[in-house]
Amino acid sequence: MRFKSRSTSNKEIKERRKFIKQLGLISAIPFAAPIIKTNWFESIGPYTINASHNKRTVQDESYWENIRKGFVLHPEIINLNNGSTCSHSIDVQNELSQYDRKFNEIPHYMRKTVYEAYAKDELRKKLANLAGCSPEELAICRNTTEALETVIFGLNLEKGDEIITTQLDYPTMLNTLYQREKRDGIVLNKINIPILPKSTDEIVELFSKAISKRTKIILISHMTYVTGQILPVKEICDLAHQHGIDVIVDGAHSFAHIDFKISDLHCDYFGTSLHKWLCAPFGTGLLYVKNDIIKNIWPLFAAPPNFRSDNIRKFEYLGTRSFATELAINSSIDLHNAIGPQTKEKRLRYLKNYWMEKIRNFAGVRLYTSSDEKQSCGIASFSIDGFEYAAIHEQLLNKYNIYTLDLKHTSAQGIRVSPNIYTTLGELDEFVNAIKEITK
Ligand SMILES: Cc1ncc(COP(=O)(O)O)c(C=O)c1O
């Protein structure tokens, strides 16, 4: 086979430029310039600024219907499993595709000009502002799994050192601990925390009893994936620090869901996925490591020039990935801030209470989640006596087009429900009616 010569005539170059110009691909977006927002985004900002974070905004359905317009959602599927991943807005999708288009057009700009030199550190600052930490304590990564495995595998631990965690922590994190158990001889103490504790003091007490002289680390979820239970993280961190123990917090469900700053938690390490409650592109996350202990953690992917450096960027040597995806986190922060973290938390709790209170007295329904504001927000779980969790899940999906999470945890088998800012009360009514029919 003969290849055509690579030399391109001037005529060909001119023709190609003309073609590309016709497609509108060149110079539409200057590098690192602010992304133009849709009219939809403009329409939600002023409302939130004028309205205080009060009952009116939280229960104003026209406001939330407008929010919903900024997302592309399937008209026939009701997504009540936002705890797994959330949809991202049209603005986020636009930003992602605009960066992607630019990087395809002029590839050398991707690494040097836009990603490394400018946009990434701007994003780091913006994200740190939202998270409530210094930009020098924040690494951008792909998800909670990567963030927390970086810490768990990067810790200097010796045979016999003990880690305390709970049965409600996420299986991937537990697997990481099992691997260190097998490989390095660390000792895992997995404590059982009650489903529906009377108060969060009960949980702190369990940790207090479990701490021993060998305990080096505690790993806890801020909000459990099983029942949405909020753990008293600050109290557990303060207790741990009295014993010289560091605390790793799995914030997969709490970040951009409940209104807090990482500094409020007093934790040492925090990881989250931004494709969950921040509604950022799929495959985005963050890792926080307290400033003075960055140097103690080995990076998961070797980083030049010094693995023990105290520069947080040593955790970002992941090789090539979709930089456009990371940069488009930007627009998801804008939406979050426009709604306001406090309003969002209150809305998510309102939606949870809306459906939970309606099904509470249905025959056989057992709720696994407290309605105490300190203990839950937008996620809740339940079972129905006499029904297999898998059968309920299947009926909801196949008969009613309602997507939930089938919960097969040893401590709680049932259905997990997690609406989001784009969920309507009408959708929740359909869900409640479906449960009524199933339990009839
Ligand atoms: C508590 C918790 N931690 C970690 C994860 C893992 O998240 P990702 O798959 O985004 O890494 C999840 C996923 O649902 C989770 O619920």
Side-chain angles (χ1 to χ4, degrees):
M1 189 183 185
R2 293 193 62 206
F3 291 96
K4 244 182 130 184
S5 157
R6 293 196 63 208
S7 65
T8 315
S9 70
N10 280 346
K11 190 170 168 235
E12 259 185 279
I13 292 172
K14 272 190 188 154
E15 285 296 313
R16 201 182 293 166
R17 284 206 180 127
K18 199 171 141 201
F19 173 70
I20 291 173
K21 262 196 178 155
Q22 276 166 357
L23 288 179
L25 294 183
I26 283 192
S27 307
I29 322 141
F31 288 109
I35 299 288
I36 313 286
K37 294 279 199 282
T38 53
N39 292 339
W40 164 76
F41 183 80
E42 301 305 328
S43 78
I44 58 170
Y47 185 106
T48 310
I49 291 161
N50 293 335
S52 53
H53 300 294
N54 59 15
K55 208 172 159 185
R56 205 184 70 200
T57 311
V58 171
Q59 298 186 19
D60 179 350
E61 294 316 308
S62 65
Y63 176 72
W64 298 102
E65 269 161 28
N66 191 30
I67 295 286
R68 184 179 168 90
K69 284 186 192 146
F71 292 82
V72 181
L73 304 167
H74 195 287
E76 279 154 25
I77 297 170
I78 299 178
N79 178 13
L80 297 183
N81 184 18
N82 288 277
S84 290
T85 50
C86 301
S87 294
H88 34 278
S89 70
I90 295 166
D91 276 328
V92 172
Q93 291 183 38
N94 283 347
E95 183 165 23
L96 196 157
S97 62
Q98 284 173 25
Y99 272 120
D100 204 44
R101 204 172 79 188
K102 272 291 169 199
F103 293 160
N104 276 288
E105 237 176 76
I106 309 174
H108 55 281
Y109 275 101
M110 179 163 85
R111 284 201 89 102
K112 287 285 167 230
T113 310
V114 177
Y115 186 71
E116 286 176 9
Y118 176 75
K120 178 128 186 203
D121 260 14
E122 286 303 304
L123 177 63
R124 191 190 309 283
K125 282 184 208 147
K126 191 164 171 172
L127 205 43
N129 195 32
L130 171 70
C133 64
S134 153
E136 296 307 317
E137 297 174 309
L138 189 148
I140 297 170
C141 60
R142 290 172 294 190
N143 48 43
T144 313
T145 306
E146 186 170 82
L148 296 187
E149 292 205 19
T150 297
V151 176
I152 298 170
F153 283 132
L155 285 164
N156 282 310
L157 292 171
E158 288 169 10
K159 193 170 175 188
D161 284 348
E162 203 175 272
I163 299 190
I164 302 174
T165 189
T166 80
Q167 95 283 19
L168 296 182
D169 273 84
Y170 197 65
T172 316
M173 302 317 139
L174 297 179
N175 288 338
T176 314
L177 296 173
Y178 299 147
Q179 190 164 317
R180 285 219 70 168
E181 221 179 3
K182 282 259 183 293
R183 194 164 157 179
D184 305 315
I186 64 143
V187 177
L188 188 59
N189 181 5
K190 200 165 67 174
I191 59 175
N192 277 327
I193 52 175
I195 302 289
L196 288 173
K198 283 190 197 72
S199 80
T200 51
D201 295 346
E202 217 182 303
I203 302 173
V204 181
E205 186 57 30
L206 285 168
F207 278 93
S208 173
K209 282 191 186 136
I211 288 172
S212 81
K213 285 205 175 84
R214 303 295 323 239
T215 311
K216 290 286 184 310
I217 297 287
I218 290 175
L219 165 73
I220 38 168
S221 292
H222 192 183
M223 185 186 281
T224 74
Y225 82 99
V226 183
T227 61
Q229 168 80 42
I230 300 172
L231 266 73
V233 169
K234 178 177 158 292
E235 288 76 5
I236 294 169
C237 289
D238 290 345
L239 168 76
H241 292 156
Q242 284 166 23
H243 297 269
I245 299 164
D246 281 353
V247 182
I248 306 170
V249 176
D250 180 339
H253 288 299
S254 59
F255 192 77
H257 178 163
I258 50 176
D259 180 21
F260 69 97
K261 298 288 184 197
I262 293 178
S263 55
D264 299 338
L265 302 181
H266 299 184
C267 64
D268 303 282
Y269 311 94
F270 181 96
T272 193
S273 300
L274 304 173
H275 49 234
K276 290 189 189 285
W277 296 95
L278 190 62
C279 302
F282 304 128
T284 52
L286 73 78
L287 166 65
Y288 157 86
V289 182
K290 197 157 73 182
N291 210 298
D292 56 337
I293 51 176
I294 296 172
K295 59 183 179 310
N296 300 345
I297 303 294
W298 293 85
L300 201 55
F301 299 93
N306 177 4
F307 309 125
R308 313 309 301 277
S309 121
D310 57 5
N311 187 335
I312 193 78
R313 292 162 191 78
K314 74 179 178 183
F315 299 120
E316 293 175 348
Y317 281 86
L318 310 176
T320 307
R321 65 270 198 194
S322 171
F323 300 122
T325 297
E326 287 184 9
L327 294 176
I329 294 168
N330 176 54
S331 283
S332 59
I333 301 173
D334 290 342
L335 173 58
H336 185 78
N337 287 338
I339 295 171
Q342 205 185 28
T343 305
K344 183 167 168 184
E345 169 178 338
K346 288 186 175 175
R347 174 67 177 179
L348 293 175
R349 185 173 288 113
Y350 174 71
L351 294 176
K352 189 274 311 287
N353 288 338
Y354 183 87
W355 68 263
M356 204 166 93
E357 292 316 314
K358 288 191 180 199
I359 71 158
R360 183 181 285 283
N361 295 321
F362 286 1
V365 165
R366 276 175 206 267
L367 297 171
Y368 290 140
T369 306
S370 163
S371 44
D372 172 6
E373 280 201 8
K374 270 167 91 188
Q375 297 195 55
S376 72
C377 188
I379 301 179
S381 308
F382 67 97
S383 65
I384 307 172
D385 288 349
F387 288 85
E388 283 284 328
Y389 68 89
I392 311 170
H393 179 260
E394 202 196 294
Q395 268 210 63
L396 285 171
L397 190 58
N398 295 334
K399 189 166 171 199
Y400 300 97
N401 266 348
I402 299 175
Y403 177 50
T404 56
L405 182 83
D406 45 337
L407 205 55
K408 35 187 173 283
H409 196 275
T410 46
S411 299
Q413 283 136 42
I415 297 296
R416 187 186 77 184
V417 179
S418 46
N420 205 339
I421 47 173
Y422 38 74
T423 307
T424 64
L425 296 188
E427 287 182 318
L428 293 179
D429 287 335
E430 282 193 44
F431 166 71
V432 168
N433 285 338
I435 296 299
K436 191 187 249 172
E437 279 184 25
I438 292 172
T439 52
K440 240 188 342 213

